[in-house]
Amino acid sequence: MTGVPASAAGGSGAKPVRGGKLGTAAVNQASLWNIANILTMVRLLLVPGFVLLLFHEGGYDPVWRSFAWAAFAIAMITDLFDGHLARAYNLVTDFGKIADPIADKAIMGAALVSLSVLGDLPWWITGVILARELGITLMRFWVIRHAVIPASRGGKLKTLAQGTAAGMYVLVLTGPLATLRFWMMMVAVVLTVVTGLDYVRQAVVLRRKGLAAERAASAERATEAMEATEALPASGATVACAAADGQAPAGPAAGAVAGSADVRRTAEARDTAEAER
């Protein structure tokens, strides 16, 4: 859940440049089966495995909860690695762009909902976090035609807090550690709400700027069209003035006058011929 979709690359045999900029060639050469995409697939497969381990033996066996924590931890670590590999080696595919954020939200959502079902985590916490994630995703689509909302440091810190707190709740903890995990989850909830409101602010500002730019462009096009329309009668007036002064208009006006003269001579010749007949 780094905010940077994991992607994949390198199908043509060309060596990727570490830390290089992502170019068209790299995107075109991207292969589905590469390490970044494989890690994303592993994270997706870990989601049902994590849920099965968590609910094994009724969901309260410390040993099986430890296994579930291990699966959750591996899923969160693979998220860090596939994002790093995608950025460092230009591993980009359409599958990675779509699957990575889905895998991120799937593992976190599965953990929160499962913990709430078991009664370990209040439903309101699960609802706040899931509503925020869904709302921000929809908001990104709302402003995508105007701009892209970048991932912030607060968002990354929120992800780290959520993962740490959820992982602590998966384990069977008592005493001070149980108190610590509660406050860690409260920190995650606060960061979730604060960063969510910041994303809303950014979305509103970006949308307003985009709409203002579109209105300015439309007004400019309308002004240009009006100026072009007003220039046409002026050209006709120039031709008329030149004809009254006995001067030969130049440029397009001269062509218009010459054309009118040819039409007039043709009509006069036709009338003369009909009179002679």
Side-chain angles (χ1 to χ4, degrees):
M1 303 198 26
T2 59
V4 179
S7 319
S12 65
K15 293 183 179 180
V17 180
R18 182 179 179 83
K21 293 184 178 180
L22 184 61
T24 303
V27 175
N28 292 338
Q29 295 171 1
S31 171
L32 176 64
W33 297 102
N34 60 73
I35 186 62
N37 274 357
I38 290 174
L39 289 176
T40 300
M41 295 177 195
V42 168
R43 192 158 72 258
L44 284 170
L45 293 175
L46 281 173
V47 174
F50 160 76
V51 173
L52 290 175
L53 291 171
L54 184 60
F55 281 94
H56 195 74
E57 297 292 338
Y60 298 102
D61 186 282
V63 175
W64 288 103
R65 294 275 293 241
S66 298
F67 291 152
W69 176 87
F72 181 80
I74 292 173
M76 299 302 293
I77 292 173
T78 58
D79 178 40
L80 297 177
F81 276 103
D82 62 9
H84 172 73
L85 291 172
R87 291 189 298 269
Y89 293 99
N90 295 335
L91 305 178
V92 178
T93 63
D94 291 336
F95 172 82
K97 294 176 183 178
I98 298 173
D100 182 69
I102 292 177
D104 295 342
K105 291 175 175 56
I107 187 64
M108 183 57 66
L112 295 173
V113 172
S114 298
L115 290 169
S116 294
V117 170
L118 291 172
D120 295 334
L121 187 67
W123 276 105
W124 71 265
I125 294 179
T126 298
V128 168
I129 294 177
L130 294 184
R132 186 267 190 197
E133 298 299 335
L134 178 60
I136 295 304
T137 299
L138 295 176
M139 190 159 293
R140 287 181 184 276
F141 284 108
W142 183 53
V143 300
I144 195 170
R145 58 173 293 195
H146 303 293
V148 176
I149 304 177
S152 63
R153 289 185 177 180
K156 295 177 181 179
L157 186 60
K158 176 268 305 179
T159 300
L160 177 61
Q162 285 182 358
T164 303
M168 294 179 71
Y169 268 88
V170 170
L171 291 171
V172 179
L173 301 179
T174 58
L177 289 178
T179 303
L180 177 61
R181 73 179 181 182
F182 169 79
W183 288 111
M184 178 60 70
M185 183 59 76
M186 291 301 99
V187 170
V189 171
V190 170
L191 289 174
T192 297
V193 174
V194 171
T195 56
L197 293 176
D198 182 60
Y199 274 120
V200 172
R201 180 192 62 80
Q202 291 185 59
V204 171
V205 171
L206 290 174
R207 182 172 172 80
R208 285 179 178 175
K209 288 182 178 179
L211 292 175
E214 289 180 358
R215 286 194 294 267
S218 298
E220 184 177 354
R221 288 193 296 268
T223 301
E224 292 176 353
M226 186 178 298
E227 291 175 352
T229 303
E230 292 175 351
L232 293 178
S235 299
T238 301
V239 172
C241 292
D245 295 340
Q247 299 176 356
V257 171
S260 299
D262 291 339
V263 171
R264 186 168 56 253
R265 284 196 295 270
T266 301
E268 290 176 352
R270 186 178 62 250
D271 294 342
T272 302
E274 291 177 353
E276 289 177 355
R277 285 199 299 269

